Amino acid sequence: MLSHTPFNFLLSADRRLKRTITITYDVVAIAFSLYLAIALRLNVYTFDLDFREALTLLSTIVVTIGCFIKLGMYRAVLRYMMLPALSHIFLAVFFSAITLALSGFFFHTFIPRSVPFIYAGLAILTLGFPRVLIRSVYYQLYKRKKANVFIYGAGSAGRDLTYALIQGEEYHPVAILDDDPAKIGQIFFGIRVYPSSEFHELDSLYSPKKVLLAVNNISKGERLRLLEKLSHWPVEILSVPR
């Protein structure tokens, strides 16, 4: 039974605890990556840590965690993490490595020039691999029996529906569609917003059973025209009640 495993405990924990666990892990992973980068470069595994080295480490951790927060990584932890969000890890690690190099220079810390590059590679592994693993395990254990669906509408109704479906047992939302350029590319609960023009590419990738229309801020006439447009898609269209 999965109900007593540590993995299931993480999935069933409240959001605040999940964020706390994830941030704590990230801090440890960043510190370990830097330690291992220096150890591999110098071929020694014990060395002193003085005030300047501590400042360099602290600066690197703060910038990296700050980037993750700014990029919304802690709004898409554990089961909501999608593979496209890994690009955010690459971006955050890029700034983290720059911070490491600059802080080492300004604090006069002994950081060999190759260490930021080694650190970046290790940080991508330690920060990214567990997220990929957790999402893959979750998908195999929990989502494979749920039918894939698309959600049309990235407004409040679409976000509420996405969250409700993730928590439910029947449907698995894999993509949100919208025609508002300002919303394209956003990620809600780990689900990316795509333009509706990419439906056929996404249909080939995910094979959804239904498209759920979650748009409330339009008139009856606009809704009818939208339904007429979507009726040409080779999938069942369901309109979510207002």
Side-chain angles (χ1 to χ4, degrees):
M1 295 292 291
L2 292 172
S3 58
H4 301 294
T5 64
F7 183 77
N8 194 70
F9 167 76
L10 290 176
L11 293 181
S12 60
D14 60 59
R15 292 185 185 181
R16 182 174 298 180
L17 179 57
K18 288 178 184 176
R19 291 192 185 103
T20 301
I21 293 173
T22 307
I23 292 174
T24 300
Y25 170 79
D26 287 344
V27 169
V28 173
I30 294 166
F32 176 74
S33 297
L34 180 54
Y35 159 77
L36 192 56
I38 296 174
L40 291 173
R41 172 61 180 81
L42 301 179
N43 199 29
V44 295
Y45 296 94
T46 58
F47 39 83
D48 295 331
L49 181 69
D50 62 20
F51 182 68
R52 293 176 299 177
E53 278 77 25
L55 282 178
T56 299
L57 174 61
L58 180 61
S59 300
T60 304
I61 291 174
V62 169
V63 169
T64 309
I65 299 300
C67 287
F68 276 6
I69 293 174
K70 186 68 175 178
L71 292 169
M73 292 297 294
Y74 300 118
R75 297 196 301 269
V77 297
L78 297 177
R79 58 178 158 177
Y80 303 142
M81 172 60 66
M82 300 290 284
L83 293 181
L86 289 177
S87 61
H88 292 168
I89 293 178
F90 283 89
L91 182 60
V93 170
F94 172 75
F95 286 112
S96 180
I98 291 178
T99 301
L100 172 60
L102 292 178
S103 60
F105 173 78
F106 286 113
F107 296 137
H108 303 289
T109 307
F110 177 65
I111 300 291
R113 286 178 293 181
S114 60
V115 165
F117 297 98
I118 301 173
Y119 160 77
L122 292 171
I124 289 172
L125 288 176
T126 57
L127 295 171
F129 178 74
R131 287 171 162 86
V132 174
L133 178 64
I134 289 174
R135 181 193 179 273
S136 299
V137 172
Y138 174 74
Y139 183 86
Q140 292 299 319
L141 295 179
Y142 291 88
K143 291 187 176 181
R144 59 184 175 183
K145 296 181 179 180
K146 297 171 66 174
N148 288 348
V149 295
F150 291 168
I151 295 173
Y152 190 99
S156 59
R159 293 194 297 270
D160 291 343
L161 178 60
T162 300
Y163 181 75
L165 293 180
I166 288 173
Q167 298 297 321
E169 301 296 332
E170 187 174 3
Y171 295 123
H172 171 207
V174 291
I176 302 174
L177 304 174
D178 204 286
D179 291 316
D180 184 352
K183 296 176 181 176
I184 304 302
Q186 294 184 14
I187 297 177
F188 301 115
F189 309 109
I191 312 297
R192 182 175 291 274
V193 180
Y194 298 89
S196 63
S197 60
E198 295 185 12
F199 168 80
H200 294 290
E201 291 85 352
L202 295 169
D203 180 45
S204 300
L205 181 62
Y206 293 111
S207 301
K209 299 298 183 183
K210 306 176 189 293
V211 173
L212 306 180
L213 182 60
V215 181
N216 290 339
N217 57 342
I218 59 176
S219 66
K220 183 177 180 180
E222 290 173 325
R223 176 178 287 268
L224 291 175
R225 287 191 292 272
L226 179 57
L227 287 172
E228 173 64 21
K229 169 189 171 182
L230 303 185
S231 66
H232 299 290
W233 290 356
V235 65
E236 182 180 3
I237 308 296
L238 294 180
S239 182
V240 177
R242 299 188 182 188

